[in-house]
Amino acid sequence: MNNTYDYIIVGGGSAACVAAWRLTKETKYSVLLLERGPAKPAFITSKLLSMPAGWMMGISGSPILELHAPVPQKHLGGRAPAVGQAALLGGGTAVNAMVYTRGQAEDYDHWDQYLGQGSGWSYRDVLPHFTAMENNQDIDDQYHGRTGPLMVSNTARQAPITKAYVAAVQNMGIAFNSDFNGATQAGVGTMQYTTYKRRRYDGVEAFLLPALQTGRLTIKTGCTVSRVMVEKATCKGVHFIQNGEEFAVYADREVLLAAGCYNTPKILMLSGIGPAGELRKFGIAPKHDLAGVGQNLQDHHEVPVVAATNGHYGYYGEDKGLRALWNGLQYLLAKTGPVTSTGVEACAYIDPDGGARPTIKMYCVPTVYLDGDIKGVVSQDGVTLNSCLLRPKSRGTVSLRSTDPMAKPVIDNNYLADPDDLRLEIAGLRYAREILKNNPLAAKISHEIFPGKDVVSDADLAQHCRRTVKTNWHPVGTCSMGPDGEEMAVLDSQLCVRGLANLRVIDASAMPFIPSGNTNAPTLMLAHRAVSFMFG
């Protein structure tokens, strides 16, 4: 087995796929990609995940999704809503709900200002990296690409309740927005997805298959990286475990960490890179004291308002019994019907405080949808409005559980620690209720199921938030970039680990602040930007 490559990529998710693609297509260098999960899921799961609606069933209880039980949350009365990340080649692109949103221009301008004007992270700087990867099937303008490898499409279907929701929000004075990735994010409309011809289009298909065709990419799955090797402040390679046996591989140029927001800091800490005091608690000799490793954890979170409808306007029951059989057959034969929907077709980007810049993403889910069983809430025809906080102020942590590289890290999301996060979630709930009162949606609503019409005070709504707040599966920030002199900065503005040579972080853990939208597209962009820094 060859044990020396020009580049080693740790992880096989969104960021890793992009980096492998660019390095092999644009250079003559050899690349090794190490993924801890399988190359692809089991046959039935794979078939389900390829269908737009299949992700809701395809990952349930599957080993390709690594679930974490965070520490009991101080501000949620001890609740610990599960978080997780993908564990297979393709990462989030292979299991997510396929939503393609980039966030707001202000997000990236803020990064640039924070990192130092001209750092290369302004919206003007990053837009070409978004468009270079994109092959948009529906839009051709200055904000979109048409020649990249990643297929992006508008929603293939809208349930009647979705259409009623979009119209109801417009009746509240919110403008219709046909492109949340265009000139402005604010407004209401349907979303874009990483789909093509009404099926999932993941990072393996978009990026890794073309990379493999070059002959310069080697992919090894079932490999858990235990640590990076550092000698004289230079990263030389990595150790990984496969089938219980440990191996060492070396990088002549760089090691690129793309193991995700939870495992990238874990690998650094196991390597002696992180807060020295914390490392010593586990008997790990600090090789490089970086206080910010595992800090600055951010995650979008959401709370629901659930209402029953007076008819069948959504997707309740479409995944059960004869209906499921018929819908599956319709999809296989004609690529039509409910299976062509991801299950979440529309949203509104709004600010319940009345500002111009959205602070809430209000999802419309065309059924009764809750994270876990809630007493008194039964599955039925209905609609769920999820108020997702776009820029939470609370910060959490990722830390070591033990020195065992197979052990999951300790995660503390610290949800609702900042009072303003709770205030905005309550404001979002009140806004959701106003949407339900507007026609044509109101005409289809029977009654509010949850939290219920008697839950009206700020105190009661706050309790509802603590009882139901859940992840939107968008963790970022645990190895974040920062300006010179920032004590907690793990990376410089070009994603290099500060104080070490030949080691770079290229996944969502590098983001200093969470973008105002789903994080898959920004993660792809970040990895694309990273390769430009290498050769810029």
Side-chain angles (χ1 to χ4, degrees), residues 32-69:
L32 171 66
L33 185 150
L34 298 170
E35 164 58 40
R36 66 201 168 106
K40 57 184 178 180
F43 179 78
I44 296 299
T45 300
S46 178
K47 289 300 181 184
L48 284 171
L49 287 172
S50 70
M51 304 175 184
W55 68 274
M56 291 175 282
M57 295 181 289
I59 62 174
S60 180
S62 172
I64 61 173
L65 182 67
E66 181 183 72
L67 284 175
H68 299 262

mmCIF file of all heavy atoms in Angstrom, residues 32-69:
data_model
loop_
_atom_site.group_PDB
_atom_site.id
_atom_site.type_symbol
_atom_site.label_atom_id
_atom_site.label_comp_id
_atom_site.label_asym_id
_atom_site.label_seq_id
_atom_site.Cartn_x
_atom_site.Cartn_y
_atom_site.Cartn_z
ATOM 1 N N LEU A 32 -5.187 11.393 -1.206
ATOM 2 C CA LEU A 32 -5.792 10.295 -0.454
ATOM 3 C C LEU A 32 -6.942 10.860 0.364
ATOM 4 O O LEU A 32 -6.773 11.833 1.104
ATOM 5 C CB LEU A 32 -4.776 9.641 0.482
ATOM 6 C CG LEU A 32 -5.350 8.619 1.484
ATOM 7 C CD1 LEU A 32 -5.895 7.391 0.765
ATOM 8 C CD2 LEU A 32 -4.287 8.220 2.514
ATOM 9 N N LEU A 33 -8.113 10.247 0.243
ATOM 10 C CA LEU A 33 -9.277 10.648 1.029
ATOM 11 C C LEU A 33 -9.631 9.507 1.973
ATOM 12 O O LEU A 33 -9.826 8.367 1.539
ATOM 13 C CB LEU A 33 -10.443 10.986 0.100
ATOM 14 C CG LEU A 33 -11.726 11.537 0.723
ATOM 15 C CD1 LEU A 33 -12.450 12.461 -0.252
ATOM 16 C CD2 LEU A 33 -12.670 10.410 1.151
ATOM 17 N N LEU A 34 -9.723 9.827 3.266
ATOM 18 C CA LEU A 34 -10.020 8.836 4.293
ATOM 19 C C LEU A 34 -11.398 9.116 4.895
ATOM 20 O O LEU A 34 -11.607 10.181 5.489
ATOM 21 C CB LEU A 34 -8.961 8.869 5.406
ATOM 22 C CG LEU A 34 -7.530 8.534 4.980
ATOM 23 C CD1 LEU A 34 -6.559 8.837 6.116
ATOM 24 C CD2 LEU A 34 -7.422 7.065 4.564
ATOM 25 N N GLU A 35 -12.322 8.178 4.750
ATOM 26 C CA GLU A 35 -13.677 8.327 5.279
ATOM 27 C C GLU A 35 -13.948 7.228 6.295
ATOM 28 O O GLU A 35 -13.677 6.050 6.035
ATOM 29 C CB GLU A 35 -14.699 8.262 4.139
ATOM 30 C CG GLU A 35 -16.138 8.014 4.540
ATOM 31 C CD GLU A 35 -16.686 9.049 5.512
ATOM 32 O OE1 GLU A 35 -16.397 10.256 5.350
ATOM 33 O OE2 GLU A 35 -17.415 8.651 6.440
ATOM 34 N N ARG A 36 -14.483 7.580 7.454
ATOM 35 C CA ARG A 36 -14.727 6.587 8.511
ATOM 36 C C ARG A 36 -15.905 5.683 8.204
ATOM 37 O O ARG A 36 -15.967 4.543 8.657
ATOM 38 C CB ARG A 36 -14.946 7.287 9.849
ATOM 39 C CG ARG A 36 -16.200 8.116 9.902
ATOM 40 C CD ARG A 36 -16.126 9.167 11.011
ATOM 41 N NE ARG A 36 -17.195 10.123 10.875
ATOM 42 C CZ ARG A 36 -18.269 10.173 11.653
ATOM 43 N NH1 ARG A 36 -18.400 9.300 12.620
ATOM 44 N NH2 ARG A 36 -19.197 11.077 11.458
ATOM 45 N N GLY A 37 -16.891 6.180 7.429
ATOM 46 C CA GLY A 37 -18.074 5.396 7.104
ATOM 47 C C GLY A 37 -17.897 4.590 5.840
ATOM 48 O O GLY A 37 -16.801 4.505 5.269
ATOM 49 N N PRO A 38 -18.983 3.997 5.356
ATOM 50 C CA PRO A 38 -18.918 3.188 4.133
ATOM 51 C C PRO A 38 -18.937 4.054 2.883
ATOM 52 O O PRO A 38 -19.223 5.255 2.932
ATOM 53 C CB PRO A 38 -20.192 2.342 4.222
ATOM 54 C CG PRO A 38 -21.158 3.214 4.961
ATOM 55 C CD PRO A 38 -20.326 3.966 5.969
ATOM 56 N N ALA A 39 -18.639 3.436 1.747
ATOM 57 C CA ALA A 39 -18.696 4.150 0.475
ATOM 58 C C ALA A 39 -20.126 4.532 0.139
ATOM 59 O O ALA A 39 -20.394 5.604 -0.409
ATOM 60 C CB ALA A 39 -18.101 3.299 -0.639
ATOM 61 N N LYS A 40 -21.062 3.652 0.476
ATOM 62 C CA LYS A 40 -22.476 3.955 0.270
ATOM 63 C C LYS A 40 -23.286 3.108 1.229
ATOM 64 O O LYS A 40 -22.822 2.074 1.729
ATOM 65 C CB LYS A 40 -22.900 3.713 -1.173
ATOM 66 C CG LYS A 40 -22.654 2.319 -1.703
ATOM 67 C CD LYS A 40 -23.043 2.251 -3.176
ATOM 68 C CE LYS A 40 -22.760 0.879 -3.761
ATOM 69 N NZ LYS A 40 -23.142 0.812 -5.197
ATOM 70 N N PRO A 41 -24.524 3.517 1.508
ATOM 71 C CA PRO A 41 -25.352 2.757 2.453
ATOM 72 C C PRO A 41 -25.840 1.454 1.854
ATOM 73 O O PRO A 41 -25.634 1.179 0.671
ATOM 74 C CB PRO A 41 -26.515 3.722 2.730
ATOM 75 C CG PRO A 41 -26.585 4.600 1.525
ATOM 76 C CD PRO A 41 -25.179 4.737 1.034
ATOM 77 N N ALA A 42 -26.503 0.680 2.678
ATOM 78 C CA ALA A 42 -27.101 -0.575 2.218
ATOM 79 C C ALA A 42 -28.081 -0.298 1.078
ATOM 80 O O ALA A 42 -28.583 0.818 0.930
ATOM 81 C CB ALA A 42 -27.810 -1.272 3.371
ATOM 82 N N PHE A 43 -28.372 -1.327 0.291
ATOM 83 C CA PHE A 43 -29.111 -1.157 -0.955
ATOM 84 C C PHE A 43 -30.443 -0.428 -0.761
ATOM 85 O O PHE A 43 -30.724 0.558 -1.451
ATOM 86 C CB PHE A 43 -29.346 -2.530 -1.595
ATOM 87 C CG PHE A 43 -30.122 -2.459 -2.883
ATOM 88 C CD1 PHE A 43 -29.502 -2.064 -4.062
ATOM 89 C CD2 PHE A 43 -31.472 -2.767 -2.910
ATOM 90 C CE1 PHE A 43 -30.219 -1.987 -5.254
ATOM 91 C CE2 PHE A 43 -32.196 -2.695 -4.095
ATOM 92 C CZ PHE A 43 -31.564 -2.301 -5.268
ATOM 93 N N ILE A 44 -31.258 -0.887 0.168
ATOM 94 C CA ILE A 44 -32.583 -0.284 0.350
ATOM 95 C C ILE A 44 -32.446 1.163 0.812
ATOM 96 O O ILE A 44 -33.131 2.065 0.308
ATOM 97 C CB ILE A 44 -33.420 -1.096 1.360
ATOM 98 C CG1 ILE A 44 -33.682 -2.501 0.816
ATOM 99 C CG2 ILE A 44 -34.733 -0.380 1.651
ATOM 100 C CD1 ILE A 44 -34.471 -2.530 -0.482
ATOM 101 N N THR A 45 -31.546 1.402 1.758
ATOM 102 C CA THR A 45 -31.327 2.769 2.230
ATOM 103 C C THR A 45 -30.840 3.660 1.099
ATOM 104 O O THR A 45 -31.269 4.809 0.958
ATOM 105 C CB THR A 45 -30.303 2.779 3.378
ATOM 106 O OG1 THR A 45 -30.796 1.979 4.441
ATOM 107 C CG2 THR A 45 -30.058 4.191 3.892
ATOM 108 N N SER A 46 -29.952 3.137 0.274
ATOM 109 C CA SER A 46 -29.436 3.898 -0.861
ATOM 110 C C SER A 46 -30.557 4.289 -1.814
ATOM 111 O O SER A 46 -30.619 5.432 -2.289
ATOM 112 C CB SER A 46 -28.374 3.078 -1.595
ATOM 113 O OG SER A 46 -27.890 3.774 -2.719
ATOM 114 N N LYS A 47 -31.461 3.355 -2.093
ATOM 115 C CA LYS A 47 -32.579 3.634 -2.989
ATOM 116 C C LYS A 47 -33.508 4.688 -2.396
ATOM 117 O O LYS A 47 -34.002 5.585 -3.086
ATOM 118 C CB LYS A 47 -33.359 2.356 -3.285
ATOM 119 C CG LYS A 47 -32.609 1.367 -4.170
ATOM 120 C CD LYS A 47 -32.270 1.967 -5.529
ATOM 121 C CE LYS A 47 -31.548 0.986 -6.427
ATOM 122 N NZ LYS A 47 -31.139 1.603 -7.720
ATOM 123 N N LEU A 48 -33.753 4.579 -1.090
ATOM 124 C CA LEU A 48 -34.605 5.568 -0.427
ATOM 125 C C LEU A 48 -33.982 6.953 -0.466
ATOM 126 O O LEU A 48 -34.648 7.952 -0.770
ATOM 127 C CB LEU A 48 -34.860 5.157 1.023
ATOM 128 C CG LEU A 48 -35.874 4.034 1.255
ATOM 129 C CD1 LEU A 48 -35.850 3.593 2.700
ATOM 130 C CD2 LEU A 48 -37.272 4.480 0.857
ATOM 131 N N LEU A 49 -32.690 7.029 -0.168
ATOM 132 C CA LEU A 49 -32.031 8.326 -0.116
ATOM 133 C C LEU A 49 -31.939 9.000 -1.482
ATOM 134 O O LEU A 49 -31.834 10.219 -1.571
ATOM 135 C CB LEU A 49 -30.631 8.182 0.485
ATOM 136 C CG LEU A 49 -30.591 7.923 1.988
ATOM 137 C CD1 LEU A 49 -29.172 7.602 2.437
ATOM 138 C CD2 LEU A 49 -31.121 9.120 2.763
ATOM 139 N N SER A 50 -31.982 8.220 -2.547
ATOM 140 C CA SER A 50 -31.929 8.821 -3.879
ATOM 141 C C SER A 50 -33.232 9.529 -4.232
ATOM 142 O O SER A 50 -33.257 10.412 -5.089
ATOM 143 C CB SER A 50 -31.623 7.759 -4.936
ATOM 144 O OG SER A 50 -32.735 6.879 -5.104
ATOM 145 N N MET A 51 -34.327 9.152 -3.559
ATOM 146 C CA MET A 51 -35.616 9.794 -3.793
ATOM 147 C C MET A 51 -35.721 11.059 -2.948
ATOM 148 O O MET A 51 -35.339 11.053 -1.776
ATOM 149 C CB MET A 51 -36.754 8.837 -3.416
ATOM 150 C CG MET A 51 -36.717 7.497 -4.120
ATOM 151 S SD MET A 51 -38.036 6.408 -3.480
ATOM 152 C CE MET A 51 -37.668 4.891 -4.377
ATOM 153 N N PRO A 52 -36.253 12.144 -3.477
ATOM 154 C CA PRO A 52 -36.347 13.377 -2.683
ATOM 155 C C PRO A 52 -37.031 13.198 -1.339
ATOM 156 O O PRO A 52 -36.589 13.745 -0.332
ATOM 157 C CB PRO A 52 -37.126 14.312 -3.606
ATOM 158 C CG PRO A 52 -36.757 13.864 -4.973
ATOM 159 C CD PRO A 52 -36.633 12.363 -4.884
ATOM 160 N N ALA A 53 -38.115 12.429 -1.293
ATOM 161 C CA ALA A 53 -38.841 12.240 -0.036
ATOM 162 C C ALA A 53 -38.229 11.148 0.841
ATOM 163 O O ALA A 53 -38.605 11.017 2.008
ATOM 164 C CB ALA A 53 -40.304 11.903 -0.314
ATOM 165 N N GLY A 54 -37.298 10.379 0.298
ATOM 166 C CA GLY A 54 -36.811 9.195 0.995
ATOM 167 C C GLY A 54 -35.909 9.463 2.169
ATOM 168 O O GLY A 54 -35.722 8.583 3.012
ATOM 169 N N TRP A 55 -35.326 10.679 2.255
ATOM 170 C CA TRP A 55 -34.371 10.948 3.338
ATOM 171 C C TRP A 55 -35.022 10.812 4.714
ATOM 172 O O TRP A 55 -34.354 10.456 5.689
ATOM 173 C CB TRP A 55 -33.770 12.349 3.183
ATOM 174 C CG TRP A 55 -34.754 13.468 3.407
ATOM 175 C CD1 TRP A 55 -35.587 14.011 2.488
ATOM 176 C CD2 TRP A 55 -34.986 14.164 4.626
ATOM 177 N NE1 TRP A 55 -36.344 15.010 3.050
ATOM 178 C CE2 TRP A 55 -35.990 15.132 4.371
ATOM 179 C CE3 TRP A 55 -34.449 14.088 5.903
ATOM 180 C CZ2 TRP A 55 -36.476 16.000 5.346
ATOM 181 C CZ3 TRP A 55 -34.920 14.951 6.882
ATOM 182 C CH2 TRP A 55 -35.914 15.893 6.612
ATOM 183 N N MET A 56 -36.339 11.075 4.804
ATOM 184 C CA MET A 56 -37.008 11.008 6.108
ATOM 185 C C MET A 56 -37.072 9.582 6.635
ATOM 186 O O MET A 56 -37.120 9.357 7.839
ATOM 187 C CB MET A 56 -38.409 11.602 5.996
ATOM 188 C CG MET A 56 -38.393 13.104 5.779
ATOM 189 S SD MET A 56 -40.040 13.805 5.512
ATOM 190 C CE MET A 56 -40.319 13.358 3.788
ATOM 191 N N MET A 57 -37.088 8.592 5.737
ATOM 192 C CA MET A 57 -37.098 7.194 6.155
ATOM 193 C C MET A 57 -35.728 6.550 5.988
ATOM 194 O O MET A 57 -35.371 5.647 6.737
ATOM 195 C CB MET A 57 -38.125 6.415 5.342
ATOM 196 C CG MET A 57 -39.563 6.849 5.573
ATOM 197 S SD MET A 57 -40.729 5.871 4.596
ATOM 198 C CE MET A 57 -40.368 6.475 2.940
ATOM 199 N N GLY A 58 -34.950 7.034 5.030
ATOM 200 C CA GLY A 58 -33.707 6.374 4.671
ATOM 201 C C GLY A 58 -32.630 6.424 5.725
ATOM 202 O O GLY A 58 -31.746 5.564 5.758
ATOM 203 N N ILE A 59 -32.673 7.436 6.636
ATOM 204 C CA ILE A 59 -31.615 7.527 7.642
ATOM 205 C C ILE A 59 -32.103 7.148 9.025
ATOM 206 O O ILE A 59 -31.330 7.147 9.977
ATOM 207 C CB ILE A 59 -31.000 8.949 7.684
ATOM 208 C CG1 ILE A 59 -32.056 9.996 8.078
ATOM 209 C CG2 ILE A 59 -30.353 9.296 6.368
ATOM 210 C CD1 ILE A 59 -31.476 11.376 8.285
ATOM 211 N N SER A 60 -33.371 6.841 9.161
ATOM 212 C CA SER A 60 -33.913 6.504 10.470
ATOM 213 C C SER A 60 -33.264 5.235 11.025
ATOM 214 O O SER A 60 -33.406 4.154 10.458
ATOM 215 C CB SER A 60 -35.430 6.320 10.364
ATOM 216 O OG SER A 60 -35.983 5.991 11.615
ATOM 217 N N GLY A 61 -32.544 5.386 12.124
ATOM 218 C CA GLY A 61 -31.890 4.246 12.750
ATOM 219 C C GLY A 61 -30.738 3.662 11.978
ATOM 220 O O GLY A 61 -30.252 2.579 12.301
ATOM 221 N N SER A 62 -30.265 4.370 10.962
ATOM 222 C CA SER A 62 -29.215 3.829 10.103
ATOM 223 C C SER A 62 -27.827 4.145 10.660
ATOM 224 O O SER A 62 -27.603 5.223 11.217
ATOM 225 C CB SER A 62 -29.350 4.417 8.697
ATOM 226 O OG SER A 62 -28.244 4.058 7.902
ATOM 227 N N PRO A 63 -26.860 3.242 10.505
ATOM 228 C CA PRO A 63 -25.489 3.511 10.967
ATOM 229 C C PRO A 63 -24.790 4.598 10.167
ATOM 230 O O PRO A 63 -23.718 5.054 10.562
ATOM 231 C CB PRO A 63 -24.790 2.156 10.791
ATOM 232 C CG PRO A 63 -25.581 1.451 9.737
ATOM 233 C CD PRO A 63 -26.995 1.885 9.951
ATOM 234 N N ILE A 64 -25.360 5.036 9.050
ATOM 235 C CA ILE A 64 -24.724 6.099 8.274
ATOM 236 C C ILE A 64 -24.985 7.474 8.868
ATOM 237 O O ILE A 64 -24.478 8.476 8.368
ATOM 238 C CB ILE A 64 -25.196 6.086 6.808
ATOM 239 C CG1 ILE A 64 -26.702 6.301 6.720
ATOM 240 C CG2 ILE A 64 -24.780 4.800 6.121
ATOM 241 C CD1 ILE A 64 -27.219 6.476 5.313
ATOM 242 N N LEU A 65 -25.771 7.540 9.944
ATOM 243 C CA LEU A 65 -25.970 8.778 10.677
ATOM 244 C C LEU A 65 -25.455 8.583 12.093
ATOM 245 O O LEU A 65 -25.988 7.774 12.854
ATOM 246 C CB LEU A 65 -27.454 9.172 10.705
ATOM 247 C CG LEU A 65 -27.767 10.488 11.422
ATOM 248 C CD1 LEU A 65 -27.182 11.663 10.663
ATOM 249 C CD2 LEU A 65 -29.273 10.665 11.584
ATOM 250 N N GLU A 66 -24.392 9.310 12.445
ATOM 251 C CA GLU A 66 -23.825 9.205 13.787
ATOM 252 C C GLU A 66 -24.558 10.178 14.704
ATOM 253 O O GLU A 66 -24.387 11.390 14.602
ATOM 254 C CB GLU A 66 -22.331 9.531 13.763
ATOM 255 C CG GLU A 66 -21.683 9.406 15.131
ATOM 256 C CD GLU A 66 -20.215 9.808 15.110
ATOM 257 O OE1 GLU A 66 -19.932 11.023 14.992
ATOM 258 O OE2 GLU A 66 -19.356 8.913 15.193
ATOM 259 N N LEU A 67 -25.379 9.644 15.597
ATOM 260 C CA LEU A 67 -26.133 10.479 16.526
ATOM 261 C C LEU A 67 -25.348 10.691 17.813
ATOM 262 O O LEU A 67 -24.662 9.784 18.300
ATOM 263 C CB LEU A 67 -27.478 9.839 16.847
ATOM 264 C CG LEU A 67 -28.556 9.939 15.764
ATOM 265 C CD1 LEU A 67 -29.795 9.161 16.174
ATOM 266 C CD2 LEU A 67 -28.912 11.395 15.481
ATOM 267 N N HIS A 68 -25.459 11.893 18.353
ATOM 268 C CA HIS A 68 -24.808 12.241 19.607
ATOM 269 C C HIS A 68 -25.871 12.664 20.614
ATOM 270 O O HIS A 68 -26.815 13.372 20.264
ATOM 271 C CB HIS A 68 -23.845 13.405 19.421
ATOM 272 C CG HIS A 68 -22.733 13.134 18.465
ATOM 273 N ND1 HIS A 68 -21.476 12.744 18.864
ATOM 274 C CD2 HIS A 68 -22.688 13.192 17.109
ATOM 275 C CE1 HIS A 68 -20.700 12.577 17.801
ATOM 276 N NE2 HIS A 68 -21.415 12.840 16.727
ATOM 277 N N ALA A 69 -25.720 12.234 21.846
ATOM 278 C CA ALA A 69 -26.552 12.719 22.937
ATOM 279 C C ALA A 69 -25.757 13.798 23.660
ATOM 280 O O ALA A 69 -24.807 13.491 24.389
ATOM 281 C CB ALA A 69 -26.906 11.585 23.884
#
